[in-house]
Amino acid sequence: MDRLSSTPVLPGRNGDVTQLGMVWEQVKAPVIVPLLRIAVFLCLAMSVMLFVEKVYMATVILAVKLLRRRPETSYKWEPMEDDMERGSAAYPMVLIQIPMFNEKEVYQLSIGAACGLSWPSDRLIIQVLDDSTDPAIKEMVQIECRRWASKGVNIRYEIRDNRVGYKAGALKMGMKHRYVKDCDYVAIFDADFQPDPDFLCRTIPFLIHNPQIGLVQGRWRFVNADECLMTRMQEMSLDYHFAIEQEVGSSTYAFFGFNGTAGVWRIAAINEAGGWKDRTTVEDMDLAVRASLKGWKFIFLNDLGVKSELPSTFKAFRHQQHRWSCGPANLFRKMVVEISKNKKVSLWTKVYVIYSFFFIRKIVGHIVTFIFYCLVIPATVFVPEVEIPMWGLVYLPSVITMLNSVGTPRSLHLLVFWVLFENVMSLHRTKATLSGLLDLGRVNEWVVTEKLGDIMKTKLPTKAAKKPKVRIGDRLHKMELFTGAYLFFCACYDLKYGKNHYFLYLFLQSITFFIVGFGYVGTYIPQS
């Protein structure tokens, strides 16, 4: 920057640039440098915490694999068998809840899969909780329920006068019906989830033979993971969540966040925890935390896959990530004191829930990704006095990235693309996390994740001859474009004046932001 201060003052535009450079030099040393060093220190500290958490989870998973620990060996489990004397009465009553909202493309999948479960028909109640606002869709769902009812399936079509509480409100209202009192367990499936016929036969025995178990959670499997590059990126992130994070929680403290679907609850556990609450957008995690504080244990079955659909449009994915990032942060704000004062669980369990589950994974993991890699590191190209150690710049992120990739070995060749895309999404996750922590803005906004089902197979080919008009504004995303422009400027400056070769990363990251900003990511469904 010495070149700026030594440049002679020239009239006009050159003189203004020189004066701006002199002001920068006067402000940089006393203000910018100390602030940027503090930011680097905080980001490095958060990176270390995240690194330790990833290594800890990897160590637990390695131990689980080496010791061959499985839920079937850790807990009592016996297959369901027919009783000649008692008949179907040997099976407990199970309620299946399928909440849905304008699910035109997928409602038949979940209803059909639920009606195909291997369980005595007189011991199973299927409850379709339809909050749809489109009368045509409501009629289609109702007709589908009637069709299955005519086949002897005990299926109930339930609606409400309002959408108060969204999904939590629907589930809560569904539990108030008189026939639910006869049920011992409730399985929940979102509208795009398709459980295999043996789902209940594999989960219910854990609840029957282990009275301390309140929840048995299955793993999501994705039918459209190969639809586009964005769905492959999502598969990598979610496979790590299930194969590592959920498995670690289940194996160590018998606690993890309920995923909101593909799980079976003991109704007594729901009632003791206080039932469904709609104070955040993560009603599933809220219930899981409250139930765990009452002493209930959870089991995760990694080998019990349930087919589901990933959001394939960027708009749907962005709304989903906002809800998944804002909700946990807001729940942490509302429950941290309650968790710390709880006396039914051990100190280590409370530390795990507060520090590992909430603080590191739901807050630090989002914030450090965007602040460090998209703001602080680019800013240091203008302030060479602030140096970032190689261990924090390369080594720790590389190890964290490699550990994240173990959940989806088939996508190892996409690791670089995944890192760049995750950095882009960290922009929205950080914004949502801060909104949740501060209880601001769209903290309680609930936008149902759009499902396409077979729409791409059945509709797009028929419209090939006539291309619908595409409005540019529908595809542009300003925040990504502004961030991409900032990174591109930093990359150009570093290319000309820098010595650390940050521009190699900055150019790639800025291009990724531009690609997303101009709407060239995911499946695009133009409005005809």
Side-chain angles (χ1 to χ4, degrees), residues 126-195:
I126 298 174
Q127 190 182 67
V128 178
L129 305 170
D130 190 9
D131 273 359
S132 299
T133 54
D134 187 326
I137 297 177
K138 293 179 73 171
E139 180 64 21
M140 288 189 291
V141 176
Q142 193 168 9
I143 290 174
E144 182 69 9
C145 292
R146 290 173 184 165
R147 187 173 73 87
W148 283 103
S150 67
K151 296 181 179 181
V153 176
N154 188 359
I155 184 169
R156 308 294 181 96
Y157 177 77
E158 306 289 357
I159 59 175
R160 300 188 292 164
D161 296 331
N162 55 68
R163 291 190 67 214
V164 174
Y166 302 109
K167 181 180 176 180
L171 294 171
K172 184 177 182 179
M173 184 64 68
M175 297 295 292
K176 292 182 178 180
H177 292 281
R178 184 173 300 177
Y179 56 82
V180 175
K181 295 180 180 180
D182 298 327
C183 300
D184 302 302
Y185 312 109
V186 55
I188 302 170
F189 300 103
D190 283 348
D192 58 310
F193 277 72
Q194 307 166 57

Side-chain angles (χ1 to χ4, degrees), residues 79-146:
M80 301 296 300
E81 296 181 353
D82 295 332
D83 191 316
M84 298 299 294
E85 295 182 359
R86 300 179 60 193
S88 62
Y91 290 75
M93 283 291 295
V94 179
L95 174 69
I96 306 292
Q97 287 187 314
I98 308 176
M100 55 178 61
F101 175 75
N102 293 337
E103 309 285 1
K104 179 181 178 180
E105 305 298 339
V106 296
Y107 71 94
Q108 290 178 310
L109 300 177
S110 57
I111 293 176
C115 293
L117 289 169
S118 298
W119 203 257
S121 59
D122 61 331
R123 309 299 290 174
L124 186 67
I125 303 175
I126 298 174
Q127 190 182 67
V128 178
L129 305 170
D130 190 9
D131 273 359
S132 299
T133 54
D134 187 326
I137 297 177
K138 293 179 73 171
E139 180 64 21
M140 288 189 291
V141 176
Q142 193 168 9
I143 290 174
E144 182 69 9
C145 292
R146 290 173 184 165

Side-chain angles (χ1 to χ4, degrees), residues 439-476:
D439 208 20
L440 299 174
R442 299 156 51 198
V443 66
N444 288 319
E445 180 186 53
W446 181 283
V447 179
V448 176
T449 304
E450 179 186 21
K451 292 100 177 178
L452 298 182
D454 293 330
I455 187 174
M456 297 304 295
K457 300 177 183 177
T458 59
K459 292 188 176 181
L460 289 186
T462 62
K463 296 185 178 182
K466 182 179 179 181
K467 294 183 179 180
K469 294 182 180 180
V470 179
R471 292 183 299 176
I472 296 178
D474 292 339
R475 301 194 66 150
L476 294 181

